[in-house]
Amino acid sequence: QVQLVESGGGSVQPGGSLKLSCEASEFKYSSYCLGWFRQAPGREREGVAAIDNQGFSRTADSVKGRFTSSKDIDNYTLYLQMNNLKPEDTAIYYCAADPSQRFCYTGARDISGLKYWGKGTQVTVSS
């Protein structure tokens, strides 16, 4: 059974940083496209970052230059480093896996192929 568990969310002031972690169960971790999406109240889900099986990562335009995704293959852990956070980044962040690779091919834009995700972790950015 695929399990993804996020951690590291919290409340920060604008300009602050957070690092999210996602522990994955030992499924086809190395072959799946992995990444993050978020959902704010009243808004649709939005892809944030994707990292493919070669470790190549891409981020959505809305977070480009501020967010970076990475993974530790040996420990089945995915990370999202978030810098220079803005109030509009406030959302629940989910770690996700996409066997179809679509999320990676589209640079974290197409979330339709995401098949597994965790329960999410809340990120709040406010002064």
Side-chain angles (χ1 to χ4, degrees):
Q1 182 177 355
V2 175
Q3 289 186 324
L4 298 164
V5 180
E6 305 92 342
S7 62
S11 296
V12 296
Q13 294 185 340
S17 299
L18 283 174
K19 186 174 184 177
L20 306 183
S21 299
C22 172
E23 295 185 14
S25 60
E26 190 176 346
F27 57 107
K28 297 179 181 179
Y29 178 86
S30 61
S31 62
Y32 282 24
C33 168
L34 303 172
W36 300 84
F37 69 92
R38 65 187 181 186
Q39 187 164 26
R43 301 188 66 179
E44 295 192 358
R45 293 176 178 178
E46 176 191 19
V48 174
I51 185 165
D52 67 18
N53 57 1
Q54 301 298 315
F56 181 69
S57 64
R58 297 182 69 179
T59 52
D61 289 342
S62 59
V63 302
K64 198 174 296 294
R66 301 187 296 121
F67 291 12
T68 304
S69 63
S70 61
K71 64 180 180 180
D72 181 339
I73 296 176
D74 293 337
N75 293 303
Y76 302 101
T77 304
L78 183 69
Y79 301 101
L80 183 67
Q81 177 67 49
M82 306 185 295
N83 298 327
N84 191 21
L85 283 160
K86 303 176 180 180
E88 52 264 41
D89 294 320
T90 296
I92 299 176
Y93 284 72
Y94 299 85
C95 168
D98 178 3
S100 77
Q101 308 292 328
R102 194 174 304 130
F103 193 54
C104 284
Y105 293 155
T106 62
R109 287 190 294 272
D110 186 349
I111 65 171
S112 64
L114 296 176
K115 186 174 182 180
Y116 310 104
W117 53 87
K119 295 183 178 180
T121 185
Q122 177 71 47
V123 172
T124 303
V125 185
S126 68
S127 54

